[in-house]
């Protein structure tokens, strides 16, 4: 028995005929970390232009080129994810990122703990309305724990946003 049905564009996705969405979006992972590794690999597969920014020249991710500065990548297409909330540089980096019209900015961290970026930005004189642009926690609330799961949750939220869907970042 042969099943027939009207062709639906969604079928192309199920049969791997549809290309990855080219949304004209840039995914900037800040800090070379296991989460950044997954974000960049998965992000490229999902149609994002991917950028790694790591201010420490001694840190790197195999297979990814570090950019020496962020300025050239921080426009209205940029989704910026700080992949480590224990680094001393989070305040200055976020302060600088927030000077640009980036589309979205977030920093990893649990909602159960104090957000270190808030006090770091306040100490640098960043206005509260700018601090409020920084999302934390990041990603869809799927209970992610591993670097790959955190990357998937983050990218799922960015994809939902890119596609105008309600997946969002609400916790």
């Amino acid at each position: 028995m042969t099943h027939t049905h009207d062709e639906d564009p969604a079928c192309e996705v199920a049969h791997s005929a549809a290309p990855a969405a080219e949304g004209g979006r840039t995914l900037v992972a800040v800090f070379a970390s296991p989460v950044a590794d997954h974000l960049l690999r998965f992000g490229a597969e999902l149609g994002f232009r991917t950028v790694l920014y790591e201010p420490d020249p001694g840190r790197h991710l195999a297979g990814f080129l570090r950019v020496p500065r962020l300025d050239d990548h921080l426009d209205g297409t940029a989704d910026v994810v700080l992949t480590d909330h224990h680094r001393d540089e989070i305040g200055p980096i976020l302060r600088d990122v927030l000077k640009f019209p980036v589309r979205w900015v977030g920093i990893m961290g649990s909602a159960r703990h104090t957000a270190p970026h808030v006090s770091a930005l306040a100490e640098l004189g960043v206005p509260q309305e700018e601090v409020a642009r920084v999302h934390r926690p990041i990603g869809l609330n799927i209970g992610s724990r591993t670097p790959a799961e955190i990357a998937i949750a983050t990218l799922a939220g960015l994809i939902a946003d890119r596609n105008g869907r309600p997946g969002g970042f609400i916790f």
Side-chain angles (χ1 to χ4, degrees):
M1 171 184 224
T2 303
H3 179 72
T4 61
H5 64 281
D6 293 329
E7 286 299 314
D8 180 346
C11 287
E12 292 179 14
V13 174
H15 299 286
S16 302
E22 277 295 330
R25 298 273 281 274
T26 302
L27 176 62
V28 180
V30 178
F31 302 131
S33 71
V35 171
D37 181 54
H38 291 290
L39 273 174
L40 295 170
R41 282 191 293 123
F42 298 159
E45 291 288 328
L46 295 167
F48 289 88
R49 289 182 304 269
T50 58
V51 174
L52 171 64
Y53 176 69
E54 170 55 69
D56 181 346
R59 297 181 188 209
H60 65 279
L61 288 176
F64 297 104
L65 181 65
R66 278 186 320 119
V67 296
R69 47 184 276 160
L70 279 173
D71 301 18
D72 298 333
H73 306 281
L74 299 179
D75 60 18
T77 71
D79 297 319
V80 181
V81 182
L82 276 73
T83 65
D84 189 335
H85 59 270
H86 294 293
R87 298 278 296 266
D88 292 336
E89 306 100 315
I90 63 171
I93 288 173
L94 280 172
R95 176 200 58 208
D96 294 347
V97 166
L98 292 170
K99 292 177 183 175
F100 290 86
V102 297
R103 208 201 59 70
W104 186 91
V105 61
I107 183 170
M108 280 182 32
S110 170
R112 295 183 306 271
H113 301 111
T114 304
H117 72 283
V118 174
S119 61
L121 290 171
E123 289 174 16
L124 294 170
V126 176
Q128 181 55 41
E129 62 272 9
E130 289 296 302
V131 175
R133 289 177 54 201
V134 180
H135 293 82
R136 184 179 173 274
I138 59 173
L140 298 183
N141 186 2
I142 61 171
S144 52
R145 295 188 185 350
T146 68
E149 290 173 343
I150 293 166
I152 288 169
T154 302
L155 287 164
L158 292 172
I159 291 167
D161 180 75
R162 177 175 73 187
N163 294 333
R165 298 291 191 230
F169 294 91
I170 304 300
F171 278 71

